[in-house]
Amino acid sequence: MGSGSSPCASCKLLRRRCAKDCIFAPYFPPDDPHKFAIVHKVFGASNVSKMLQELPVHQRADAVSSLVYEANARMRDPVYGCVGAISYLQNQVSQLQMQLAVAQAEILCIQMQPEPELPAIHPSMVDCDTKSLLLAGSNTGDFGDHMPQFLSYTSSNNNHVIQDPLKRESLWT
């Protein structure tokens, strides 16, 4: 018998006595009968036995793993089997590569666009209140409590309003 007193999954399914030298016993344990059942349904026990006998012992486990995978794929897709799954995944990879190329091209186009220049502020355009606000913000590294005032600041001299400090368009309307 393959393992202990319990026959292997193939011998159970085929309803035969499991011999000590059963070729299926190491690869189809009794606790996983579905594994052999699906391989038997697709390839047949005789064909699987012949395949395993032709392989060296160290390659048999990989061969059984491949047979189980192919049998599962054949059950899902009887015509193409695992080749259908591979083709589907290759198509998906191609589509994702195209999407990546498009995204990279868009990034490159954005990076190549010239950045609009901000108008230079002449010192005479800034009144004393704005200067003190900017100096107060530069001392602390941020504008702190002055930020709401800065965003809605209206100069009494020239009626310039800063609406959004992150806009690259003209800050002075």
Side-chain angles (χ1 to χ4, degrees):
M1 294 213 176
S3 59
S5 62
S6 181
C8 68
S10 64
C11 292
K12 271 186 184 179
L13 184 73
L14 299 173
R15 295 183 181 170
R16 65 182 187 191
R17 192 176 72 75
C18 192
K20 281 187 175 184
D21 60 343
C22 177
I23 195 159
F24 297 121
Y27 314 107
F28 300 103
D31 60 340
D32 195 6
H34 180 70
K35 185 175 170 182
F36 180 76
I38 197 162
V39 169
H40 170 61
K41 187 173 185 176
V42 173
F43 298 106
S46 178
N47 290 331
V48 174
S49 174
K50 289 176 190 173
M51 283 188 255
L52 291 178
Q53 286 174 351
E54 290 177 7
L55 290 173
V57 176
H58 70 277
Q59 292 180 344
R60 290 180 183 173
D62 291 335
V64 167
S65 177
S66 295
L67 287 170
V68 170
Y69 182 82
E70 176 65 28
N72 281 317
R74 287 278 171 194
M75 293 304 288
R76 279 184 264 122
D77 185 356
V79 175
Y80 294 109
C82 66
V83 174
I86 291 169
S87 295
Y88 172 77
L89 292 173
Q90 285 177 336
N91 286 336
Q92 196 172 15
V93 166
S94 295
Q95 289 175 353
L96 291 172
Q97 286 174 335
M98 287 187 341
Q99 288 177 0
L100 178 63
V102 167
Q104 288 173 334
E106 288 176 0
I107 290 171
L108 187 61
C109 286
I110 291 170
Q111 288 175 344
M112 297 303 290
Q113 289 178 352
E115 293 186 26
E117 292 183 24
L118 294 175
I121 300 174
H122 192 270
S124 65
M125 294 176 67
V126 181
D127 61 6
C128 292
D129 291 335
T130 307
K131 287 179 187 176
S132 62
L133 175 66
L134 293 174
L135 289 175
S138 65
N139 290 339
T140 61
D142 65 294
F143 290 108
D145 295 334
H146 300 291
M147 184 58 93
Q149 296 169 356
F150 181 69
L151 292 176
S152 62
Y153 177 77
T154 304
S155 173
S156 57
N157 294 346
N158 1 15
N159 290 331
H160 297 298
V161 178
I162 299 175
Q163 296 175 347
D164 186 357
L166 299 178
K167 269 191 177 175
R168 293 202 161 198
E169 299 170 4
S170 175
L171 293 175
W172 308 101
T173 56

